[in-house]
Amino acid sequence: MTIAIGNDHAGPDYKFAIIKHLESKGITVVNHGTDSLDSVDYPDFVHPVANAVTNKEADFGILICGSANGVAMTANKYKDIRAGLCWTKEIVTLIRQHNNANVLCIPARFTSIPQAVGMVQTFLETDFEGGRHQRRVEKISSNC
């Protein structure tokens, strides 16, 4: 499994903890985020992650910024991306089960690093339920 990860200046510490966790599980991680606390523009790090997931170079994506709103909005501009903003494991479970989310967006300023690592693990362990949720997921992409 390959995970693409991206972050802005709010998330380097989160990213490094998540990468350490994923690599300990034998998962390949491609780092598209900044390693610095210097201010950067989050879209610059979202686009490579969204492209990697869309082009099937990565199985899933993880995005981290202060509120996670900006990264989620940017990622969801891509037709085949279903990015969910989460701050609890329960929400993570639902975005996987009901929405077949393929990108997890983590708000670094509203979660702790242990919470974030736990959410990543939940994201990877939770399967899409399909069934009635499948037709709903099929209706997400816009023809506009």
Side-chain angles (χ1 to χ4, degrees):
M1 175 180 294
T2 299
I3 305 290
I5 192 166
N7 61 285
D8 72 0
H9 51 276
D13 293 341
Y14 286 71
K15 176 184 64 183
F16 294 133
I18 291 166
I19 289 173
K20 181 179 178 182
H21 174 75
L22 293 172
E23 288 178 343
S24 77
K25 305 279 186 195
I27 296 170
T28 301
V29 182
V30 181
N31 178 5
H32 294 288
T34 183
D35 294 342
S36 170
L37 299 176
D38 296 336
S39 182
V40 295
D41 298 332
Y42 61 82
D44 296 339
F45 304 99
V46 175
H47 294 300
V49 171
N51 277 318
V53 174
T54 298
N55 296 328
K56 307 216 183 307
E57 297 162 6
D59 299 290
F60 296 106
I62 299 169
L63 294 168
I64 308 156
C65 77
S67 72
N69 280 295
V71 294
M73 289 177 192
T74 305
N76 279 318
K77 298 292 183 190
Y78 287 75
K79 181 178 183 277
D80 294 323
I81 295 296
R82 291 171 307 281
L85 191 166
C86 298
W87 54 94
T88 69
K89 288 195 251 183
E90 293 79 11
I91 296 170
V92 173
T93 298
L94 292 173
I95 69 165
R96 286 291 301 133
Q97 288 177 337
H98 295 186
N99 310 115
N100 200 17
N102 52 12
V103 176
L104 172 62
C105 301
I106 300 171
R109 294 193 178 116
F110 298 93
T111 59
S112 67
I113 290 174
Q115 279 179 291
V117 171
M119 290 190 301
V120 167
Q121 190 59 40
T122 298
F123 186 78
L124 297 177
E125 292 173 347
T126 305
D127 293 323
F128 178 51
E129 288 182 350
R132 71 185 190 277
H133 303 292
Q134 180 62 45
R135 80 172 176 275
R136 295 169 183 159
V137 168
E138 290 169 0
K139 293 178 180 184
I140 291 173
S141 290
S142 171
N143 292 324
C144 299

